[in-house]
């Protein structure tokens, strides 16, 4: 099974802090260490065991959204085909952030390619958003200030590409504030598990029991109460 703490191709560990670059390793003897709450939150992400269909790696985090950041990119893979992919970013501001209503924020981008007939469903954006909130509910997660967009974009091919079928990509962008637990640390591992539930649902995979050690909600099926998207096909690359 894949683990969330795999290594990316640029050898980044996915962490960015005020005095650190994305490629710096965490050194316990560092005179300017990462905040303990942020370190524990990152450790929670790295400890999660993922479904075998998911390949995940740390990636370079954004530079100006928060004093500290950690980022993961993941893809749902079947054979050699990517069915869906996405990015999850953990932001931390030790001083707190008024807009977040907390010291942590999770930000995500999830995208997948759909069959054109599925994209014609006018309720599809609302359904996709319900997959995100449903994943939180299935895992028993508490969160606040959720916001986001669901976007669909279609492509038709001409000339030398005329033989390719029309394609429609759906993109979910969202952010939310995870409820902080003891010592001000959110249950990031379970939030990652819920995010992976969303990623698999967008990819059209059937629900699977939660991975052992995922935290509250372990043993519940992903995407409970919502319908998976049928007849998916993975993104096509030129």
């Amino acid at each position: 099974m894949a683990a969330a703490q795999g290594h990316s191709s640029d050898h980044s560990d996915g962490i960015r802090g005020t005095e650190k670059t994305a490629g710096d390793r965490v050194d316990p003897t560092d005179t300017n260490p990462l905040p303990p709450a942020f370190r524990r939150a990152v450790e929670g992400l790295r400890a999660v065991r993922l479904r075998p269909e998911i390949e995940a790696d740390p990636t370079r985090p954004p530079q100006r959204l928060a004093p500290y950041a950690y980022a993961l990119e993941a893809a749902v893979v079947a054979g050699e085909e990517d069915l869906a992919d996405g990015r999850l970013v953990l932001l931390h501001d030790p001083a707190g952030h008024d807009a977040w209503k907390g010291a942590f924020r999770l930000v995500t981008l999830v995208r997948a390619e759909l069959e054109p007939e599925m994209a014609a469903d006018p309720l599809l954006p609302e359904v996709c958003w319900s997959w995100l909130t449903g994943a939180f509910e299935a895992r028993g997660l508490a969160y606040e200030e959720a916001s986001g967009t669901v976007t669909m974009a279609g492509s038709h091919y001409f000339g030398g590409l005329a033989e390719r079928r029309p394609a429609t990509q759906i993109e979910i962008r969202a952010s939310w504030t995870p409820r902080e637990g003891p010592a001000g640390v959110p249950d990031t591992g379970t939030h990652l598990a819920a995010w992976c539930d969303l990623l698999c649902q967008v990819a059209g995979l059937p629900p699977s029991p939660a991975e052992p050690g995922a935290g509250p909600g372990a043993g519940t099926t992903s995407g409970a109460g919502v319908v998976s998207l049928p007849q998916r096909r993975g993104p096509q690359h030129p």
Side-chain angles (χ1 to χ4, degrees):
M1 301 176 89
Q5 63 268 34
H7 297 289
S8 61
S9 59
D10 66 356
H11 304 289
S12 166
D13 66 0
I15 294 176
R16 186 190 68 77
T18 305
E19 301 296 332
K20 300 178 183 296
T21 65
D24 288 335
R25 296 292 175 181
V26 178
D27 183 354
T29 65
D30 194 341
T31 57
N32 186 22
L34 297 170
F38 179 66
R39 186 190 295 271
R40 290 178 59 187
V42 171
E43 289 172 351
L45 292 172
R46 289 175 162 175
V48 174
R49 306 297 298 181
L50 307 178
R51 286 181 62 164
E53 300 93 340
I54 298 177
E55 296 181 358
D57 291 284
T59 189
R60 194 171 298 277
Q63 297 297 305
R64 291 181 291 273
L65 296 182
Y68 299 91
Y70 177 82
L72 283 170
E73 59 184 5
V76 179
V77 180
E80 297 183 355
E81 185 177 46
D82 288 0
L83 301 181
D85 61 72
R87 192 181 194 210
L88 183 68
V89 180
L90 173 68
L91 304 176
H92 178 54
D93 186 340
H97 196 292
D98 291 342
W100 301 351
K101 296 192 182 330
F104 287 89
R105 188 76 170 171
L106 284 160
V107 182
T108 188
L109 164 67
V110 172
R111 58 195 174 193
E113 191 173 305
L114 311 177
E115 294 289 351
E117 56 269 24
M118 296 303 302
D121 185 348
L123 296 179
L124 187 60
E126 287 81 1
V127 171
C128 288
W129 184 256
S130 77
W131 291 344
L132 175 64
T133 58
F136 294 153
E137 293 168 4
R139 296 275 179 174
L141 285 168
Y143 63 96
E144 298 177 287
E145 301 301 315
S147 61
T149 61
V150 178
T151 305
M152 291 186 294
S155 298
H156 294 263
Y157 301 96
F158 302 93
L161 299 177
E163 293 183 359
R164 293 182 60 172
R165 299 176 60 183
T168 300
Q169 186 179 76
I170 192 161
E171 183 178 274
I172 303 171
R173 293 179 179 268
S175 63
W176 64 96
T177 299
R179 182 74 57 84
E180 296 173 17
V185 181
D187 185 1
T188 52
T190 306
H191 279 274
L192 174 57
W195 181 75
C196 288
D197 293 343
L198 168 67
L199 195 64
C200 289
Q201 193 151 26
V202 171
L205 296 188
S208 174
E211 294 295 338
T220 60
T221 56
S222 61
V226 291
V227 180
S228 295
L229 192 66
Q231 298 184 9
R232 283 276 303 103
R233 73 169 185 270
Q236 297 178 356
H237 302 286

